[in-house]
Amino acid sequence: MNNIKILNDSFPRTIDVLNSSPVYDPKIRKEKINLLKKLLLEKDAKIIAHYYTHEDIQEVAEITGGNVSDSLEMAKFGANQSSKMLIVAGVRFMGETAKILNPEKKILMPTLEAECSLDINCPAPNLLEFCKKHPDRQIVVYANTSAEVKAMADWVVTSSIAVKVIEYLKEKNIKIIWAPDKHLGNYINQKTKADMKIWNASCIVHEEFKAKSLIKLMKENRDAAVLVHPESNLDVIKLADVVGSTSQLIKACENLPNKKFIVATDNRIFYKMRQAAPKKILIEAPTGGEGATCISCAHCPWMAMNNLDNLIDTLTHEKNEIKINEGIRKKAFISTNRMINFAKNL
Ligand code: 13P
Ligand code: SF4
């Protein structure tokens, strides 16, 4: 198994990012939102935001005809838009996916510094080296990867359809290289028993959820259903009532009869969960560290870099454009579009 482990210390700490994030006075917040409405109309632009971004961003996306969703729906929404410009509020791989699927559109991001630990820990040259050792296998990569990695892959998947794609490949007796998330890979492997060589990277946010403290919390809240994103450790996943993508977890919160939920994913998802199920009680799953000692504190530091100020700045100056070499984009389009087409038939 390959391991390009970059020390967690090199990642931004959520606590630092949040401490430097702007907090707006309600009147100023309203002015900023009004300015954004005007700019979006003028520029013929739509916002595509992930559930982990600040609720300010999610709110603007919603009220201006944009989209707030999981990575698969974000990709699908972009491809169905007639607007000339898309502003992707999330992390870089989400902006790149939008560009891969919509080369004719201008794709901007509030910041180009919003990374993902999975993407960082799966550089294309290293993956290529690994794949060369297993030429008999198809390469399936998680959407949380660079355009270069997607260009190398046979399939791109997101957490909402990963199990289904691997089941489909297993039925055809296809052997698989899975990259980069080892936890999601282990979960899929356990569910499908497919023949998989699994890359060794992880999400710094979901890796912090711990089974021992989760069990304690479950004992204190026996009536709560446990919702877990599959980027978490397998021992946390095993405790879940529902394992799924962010959209699937929101649906579970809405549809399950429980009044209480323990949620093991980025806590910004609570904004949408509260909209979908206003009467339900949401409890954050415990992370390894406590208070200022935790690295991610159940919140992605890169997602937290998006705010109303950098959104306005990006739109005003049309900056932070996503650009991808056309040869790479064309190759990445094949594996990414395969995912979109597969999802259409589900
Ligand atoms: P979803 O596709 O479930 O939204 O996941 C994206 C992600 O980065 C979760 O950490
Ligand atoms: Fe990447 Fe984890 Fe952040 Fe999702 S939450 S973008 S997987 S670092």
Side-chain angles (χ1 to χ4, degrees):
M1 196 188 285
N2 262 37
N3 190 353
I4 321 291
K5 199 76 189 164
I6 295 170
L7 288 176
N8 277 352
D9 283 354
S10 65
F11 296 138
R13 291 176 79 91
T14 298
I15 201 90
D16 298 332
V17 175
L18 292 182
N19 281 344
S20 61
S21 298
V23 180
Y24 310 105
D25 161 88
K27 190 167 162 268
I28 294 180
R29 180 179 184 274
K30 201 162 178 228
E31 280 167 16
K32 287 184 189 295
I33 291 179
N34 285 340
L35 174 58
L36 274 166
K37 281 186 191 163
K38 188 170 146 276
L39 284 169
L40 286 164
L41 273 178
E42 268 170 31
K43 306 267 177 180
D44 188 19
K46 285 274 180 332
I47 299 172
I48 305 179
H50 190 264
Y51 296 122
Y52 295 167
T53 54
H54 192 284
E55 60 187 62
D56 288 346
I57 306 254
Q58 296 192 44
E59 188 185 319
V60 184
E62 278 165 359
I63 61 177
T64 54
N67 171 264
V68 185
S69 56
D70 69 3
S71 353
L72 179 63
E73 295 303 320
M74 286 172 83
K76 280 164 57 180
F77 180 86
N80 292 329
Q81 280 307 302
S82 57
S83 334
K84 281 199 280 219
M85 199 187 283
L86 300 173
I87 319 292
V88 180
V91 295
R92 195 173 47 213
F93 80 81
M94 294 169 171
E96 287 190 352
T97 303
K99 188 67 192 177
I100 290 165
L101 294 169
N102 306 282
E104 74 295 347
K105 290 194 195 338
K106 198 170 209 180
I107 311 290
L108 308 179
M109 295 192 75
T111 168
L112 292 178
E113 282 173 24
E115 303 271 356
C116 167
S117 59
L118 291 167
D119 184 355
I120 292 173
N121 279 319
C122 189
N126 301 61
L127 181 63
L128 181 62
E129 213 179 288
F130 183 62
C131 294
K132 275 187 189 156
K133 291 185 193 143
H134 306 283
D136 54 330
R137 288 172 182 267
Q138 286 206 7
I139 306 165
V140 184
V141 301
Y142 196 28
N144 301 37
T145 45
S146 64
E148 287 79 2
V149 163
K150 289 185 175 78
M152 208 186 291
D154 298 293
W155 287 85
V156 172
V157 299
T158 69
S159 58
S160 62
I161 57 163
V163 171
K164 292 210 164 76
V165 170
I166 301 291
E167 271 168 355
Y168 168 81
L169 296 176
K170 196 202 162 194
E171 265 171 36
K172 295 183 176 302
N173 288 322
I174 291 170
K175 293 198 278 180
I176 293 153
I177 286 175
W178 167 266
D181 188 351
K182 65 177 173 188
H183 298 307
L184 180 54
N186 289 336
Y187 167 66
I188 298 168
N189 192 231
Q190 189 220 37
K191 284 211 67 115
T192 63
K193 307 282 180 261
D195 185 341
M196 295 165 74
K197 293 261 179 230
I198 300 173
W199 189 260
N200 187 13
S202 56
C203 160
I204 58 158
V205 180
H206 290 86
E207 204 164 50
E208 279 202 9
F209 295 114
K210 300 290 177 234
K212 201 172 155 206
S213 34
L214 178 55
I215 291 169
K216 187 168 169 280
L217 189 63
M218 287 164 73
K219 282 186 184 149
E220 291 160 10
N221 296 278
R222 291 189 187 273
D223 52 338
V226 178
L227 309 179
V228 175
H229 194 280
E231 289 166 10
S232 312
N233 277 295
L234 205 49
D235 52 354
V236 170
I237 290 180
K238 280 181 186 154
L239 299 169
D241 293 293
V242 176
V243 182
S245 75
T246 48
S247 292
Q248 289 163 346
L249 297 185
I250 293 167
K251 280 203 186 83
C253 176
E254 192 178 358
N255 297 335
L256 287 181
N258 305 61
K259 293 211 162 51
K260 223 187 244 181
F261 292 87
I262 299 174
V263 184
T265 194
D266 188 309
N267 54 23
R268 291 270 191 240
I269 202 174
F270 286 9
Y271 172 69
K272 270 284 165 191
M273 282 184 171
R274 285 196 183 107
Q275 272 185 356
K279 293 200 174 128
K280 303 214 172 168
I281 298 165
L282 307 175
I283 308 170
E284 285 178 33
T287 53
E290 280 172 15
T293 65
C294 62
I295 291 170
S296 80
C297 314
H299 187 50
C300 178
W302 293 290
M303 291 279 186
M305 288 175 177
N306 296 277
N307 58 54
L308 292 183
D309 284 329
N310 54 22
L311 192 50
I312 290 171
D313 193 35
T314 298
L315 256 174
T316 308
H317 303 291
E318 298 190 20
K319 61 195 244 192
N320 299 336
E321 184 173 357
I322 295 285
K323 294 202 167 128
I324 302 173
N325 166 287
E326 185 56 10
I328 304 242
R329 192 205 62 79
K330 278 191 176 144
K331 284 190 192 150
F333 178 84
I334 297 170
S335 54
T336 310
N337 198 42
R338 194 167 276 149
M339 163 179 80
I340 302 283
N341 286 335
F342 185 89
K344 275 184 199 154
N345 296 321
L346 289 178

